[in-house]
Amino acid sequence: MKKRRVKRTRSRKNVRKSLVFYKISAVIFVVFLIIAATVIVKQNFLHPSLVGTQAVQSNISSTLSDANISSVPTSLPPPESPQSSTEDSSVSSTPSQSSTTASTAPPKNTEVHDAVKGQVPKSEPVSDSYFDNAVFIGDSRTEGLMMYAGPENAEYLTVKGLNVETAMEKPAINVGGKKVTVVDALGYGTYGKVYIMLGVNELGWAYSELFIKRYGELIDAIQRVQPNAEIYVQSILPVSKGKSEKDAVYNNTNIKKYNDLIVKMTREKGVHFLNVKESIEDSELCLPAEATTDGVHLNAQYCNKWMDYLRTHTV
C-alpha cells in the first residue's frame, strides 16, 4: 500500500509538472500569435486608401465599386486643396502652422497661382470637342469630375481607391463583360490624350520612392499602349485645412512631397505636367471649406473649376 501511495504521489507530481509546462507553452504561443497578428496588421496599413475608405468614414457614399469604361458614378463629396509652394520644382508647400502669420499670409479671396517650372502654361480655351478622343484615369476624385463636369464624349477609366500599382495589376474595369486592368482597358481604344490623376491613395505607403517608381512604370506602360497620345499628368489636389491639420498621413505636407516627385518624374518621362491644384486652392493653398463636405472630394462647383483649368491648359 505504501508503495502504491508513493507511486500515486509521484504520478500527481508529474501531472502537475506537465500542466505547468503546458500552461507556460500556451502563454508563449498566445504571445507569439499576438505579435504575428500585430505585424500583419501593420503591414496591411502600409497601403491605405484615402479615396474610398475616407468617404465611408465621413458618411459620404462613394461611387463605382466596379467601374465600367463609360459608367457614371452615383454620389461623391468634394476634396480640398494643399498649402504653399517654395521652389520651381515644387507644386505646393505646406507652411508650418506656427510660422504662418496674418502679416505673411496672402489676403483671403485672392486668386492663387502657385506656378511650377515646366507646367503646361495657360492657353486659349478649347471646346469640349477637344476631349472627344481623350480618356481620364483616376480614383473617385476623377469620378466626381466625370459626374459633375467631364466632357460627355470623353472616356473614363476610374476606380474607387485606384493607385499607381492597382492601375497596372488589378482587374477592375469591365470591358465586354470581362474585368481587365486600367492599362489593358486602354488597349481597347485609340486615344489622342490621356489625363491621369493618382497619388492620394498612396500617401500612406512606407516609401515615397516606391510610389514614384511605380508611377513612372505606369507612364511607360501607357506610352506603350497609346504611343501617339499626349499624356497629361495632373498634380494631386490638396485636402482641406481641417483635414490636413488632423491627419498624420493625408495632409498637405505629404501631398506637396508627392507632387514634387511627380513634377520631376514628368520631366524625366517627357510628358506634360498640369498643375491643376492651383485652379481650386485658396489663399492658404488648401482646398476651401466651401468646396468639400469631407475634406477630400470636390463638389460640383469646384469640379467645374478643375474642368475649366483643363480647357485652358492644352498643348
Side-chain angles (χ1 to χ4, degrees):
M1 291 292 293
K2 188 175 182 181
K3 288 183 179 179
R4 289 180 183 175
R5 287 191 192 120
V6 170
K7 285 183 179 179
R8 281 198 296 269
T9 301
R10 288 177 180 174
S11 177
R12 287 173 187 152
K13 287 181 179 179
N14 290 336
V15 168
R16 282 195 291 270
K17 288 179 181 179
S18 298
L19 288 174
V20 170
F21 172 79
Y22 288 126
K23 286 179 180 179
I24 293 173
S25 299
V27 170
I28 293 173
F29 181 72
V30 169
V31 170
F32 174 81
L33 287 180
I34 292 172
I35 293 173
T38 302
V39 171
I40 292 171
V41 169
K42 285 183 178 180
Q43 288 177 342
N44 287 339
F45 277 96
L46 289 178
H47 291 66
S49 170
L50 173 66
V51 181
T53 59
Q54 188 61 38
V56 174
Q57 293 171 356
S58 59
N59 296 321
I60 307 269
S61 64
S62 298
T63 62
L64 290 181
S65 56
D66 288 324
N68 294 327
I69 288 184
S70 59
S71 61
V72 179
T74 52
S75 63
L76 283 179
E80 299 190 12
S81 80
Q83 303 179 339
S84 76
S85 116
T86 53
E87 302 178 24
D88 292 351
S89 61
S90 68
V91 177
S92 75
S93 63
T94 307
S96 65
Q97 298 302 317
S98 59
S99 63
T100 304
T101 64
S103 59
T104 58
K108 291 185 177 181
N109 303 320
T110 299
E111 189 175 5
V112 176
H113 293 290
D114 190 19
V116 174
K117 184 178 180 180
Q119 71 181 58
V120 174
K122 190 171 183 179
S123 57
E124 289 297 318
V126 297
S127 67
D128 280 3
S129 62
Y130 174 84
F131 302 96
D132 287 352
N133 64 347
V135 59
F136 289 81
I137 296 172
D139 50 43
S140 61
R141 279 176 159 181
T142 302
E143 289 179 355
L145 178 73
M146 171 179 67
M147 181 173 71
Y148 294 128
E152 292 184 3
N153 293 331
E155 292 198 39
Y156 301 85
L157 300 178
T158 60
V159 181
K160 181 176 63 180
L162 189 69
N163 62 48
V164 295
E165 197 166 66
T166 56
M168 295 183 284
E169 297 178 356
K170 182 180 179 180
I173 303 294
N174 289 322
V175 180
K178 180 177 71 172
K179 282 189 177 182
V180 300
T181 67
V182 167
V183 171
D184 288 340
L186 278 174
Y188 285 82
T190 301
Y191 303 102
K193 302 105 182 173
V194 180
Y195 287 85
I196 312 163
M197 180 184 284
L198 295 169
V200 70
N201 291 313
E202 296 89 312
L203 291 175
W205 285 18
Y207 304 104
S208 57
E209 295 82 2
L210 176 61
F211 157 71
I212 205 61
K213 178 178 180 293
R214 296 296 276 166
Y215 209 153
E217 291 170 354
L218 175 60
I219 298 300
D220 292 340
I222 293 172
Q223 288 176 323
R224 286 193 296 270
V225 177
Q226 296 292 332
N228 298 318
E230 297 286 353
I231 298 176
Y232 293 92
V233 178
Q234 302 171 79
S235 61
I236 305 170
L237 298 176
V239 296
S240 68
K241 183 178 180 180
K243 172 70 176 174
S244 183
E245 291 176 346
K246 294 177 182 178
D247 201 307
V249 174
Y250 301 104
N251 56 62
N252 291 325
T253 298
N254 287 340
I255 289 174
K256 178 210 176 315
K257 177 182 178 181
Y258 271 37
N259 274 333
D260 290 348
L261 293 172
I262 292 172
V263 171
K264 183 179 178 182
M265 184 271 292
T266 56
R267 292 173 185 166
E268 293 171 350
K269 297 295 180 182
V271 295
H272 308 298
F273 176 73
L274 285 170
N275 194 18
V276 293
K277 72 173 195 62
E278 66 181 1
S279 66
I280 54 90
E281 63 194 4
D282 62 16
S283 60
E284 295 182 277
L285 304 180
C286 298
L287 187 65
E290 67 182 32
T292 182
T293 59
D294 68 350
V296 180
H297 298 88
L298 300 177
N299 60 22
Q301 178 186 356
Y302 277 78
C303 280
N304 277 292
K305 288 177 180 287
W306 174 5
M307 192 64 224
D308 285 341
Y309 186 92
L310 298 183
R311 291 188 185 98
T312 55
H313 292 77
T314 61
V315 296

